[in-house]
Amino acid sequence: MTAASRTPIVAGNWKMNLDRSGGTALAAAVAGRRGDAAGVDLVLCPPAVYLVPVAEAVARAGGDVAVGGQNACDKGSGAFTGEIAPQMLLDVGCRYVILGHSERRTLYGETDAGVNAKAKAALAAGLVPIVCVGETLEEREAGRTDAVVSQQIRGSLAGLDAAALEKTVVAYEPVWAIGTGKVATPEQAQEVHALIRGLLAGLASPATAAKVRVQYGGSVKPDNAADLAACPDIDGALVGGASLKADDFLAIARAFAAAGVA
Ligand code: PEP
């Protein structure tokens, strides 16, 4: 299975940005022009309180655009103040959930074991987890990229069987490229994506690894998306800043649509 046979997936991580009217307007604009990026799965991940109005705006605009959470609890219900269960995300229309984003790992102390528990809970609930991994600048400069990413992949995806892995999306996001304007070169990104695919083969089999979609994230913009999309192991993008503008988000999605057809 090659990149051409994996459906590209472009997801917008809105983080803690936009209010209700800005978010619904953006969702409507993306969904209304969704046909621009036919053949690419599109996902919008607004702040949790806006999941419902964003899902409604997408439905009104009639576009096949999925909605996802930015985090989820590893428990199904109970006394977990401030948390949101995967089943609750599903219940309000989510199909995806981002897990282990570097901001969650760095600012809120999330560990590989915690991300692993959340990924299992998300899959059990019927959500597709987008599991994020990536090295810091310090780790890259110390030549530790492979070791760090390997540990994150093995820890975050431990115990997932082949069927679970095939549903999971992995996002390689070098921390030094997130929100900094410093994008990894296509060569740097492809090298780590190939490493990740090899690790997935080790966790399951080469056939399973060939089916897993691995996104790149870190300052993806319309002007660098085509070069990233041309890499054989890059199957889409997790987009932060550029996902807040419909034109930019759709231009990135179009770059992956074009690469998929090539
Ligand atoms: C992200 O937060 O996942 C991200 C990739 O952000 P940005 O595109 O702004 O670098």
Side-chain angles (χ1 to χ4, degrees), residues 148-228:
V148 168
V149 171
S150 300
Q151 185 175 333
Q152 289 174 332
I153 287 286
R154 290 198 187 99
S156 303
L157 303 180
L160 299 192
D161 62 16
L165 282 174
E166 285 173 18
K167 284 184 203 132
T168 299
V169 174
V170 175
Y172 168 57
E173 298 206 303
V175 179
W176 48 272
I178 296 178
T180 59
K182 286 184 201 158
V183 65
T185 64
E187 294 75 22
Q188 285 173 319
Q190 167 56 30
E191 194 180 335
V192 180
H193 280 240
L195 168 81
I196 290 171
R197 209 168 297 285
L199 291 164
L200 293 168
L203 289 175
S205 68
T208 293
K211 292 182 187 159
V212 180
R213 295 181 293 176
V214 185
Q215 297 175 307
Y216 170 80
S219 298
V220 179
K221 307 279 183 241
D223 63 0
N224 57 33
D227 287 344
L228 292 161

Side-chain angles (χ1 to χ4, degrees), residues 31-50:
R33 289 163 51 202
R34 194 260 179 276
D36 289 12
V40 175
D41 287 346
L42 296 185
V43 188
L44 302 179
C45 300
V49 291
Y50 300 131

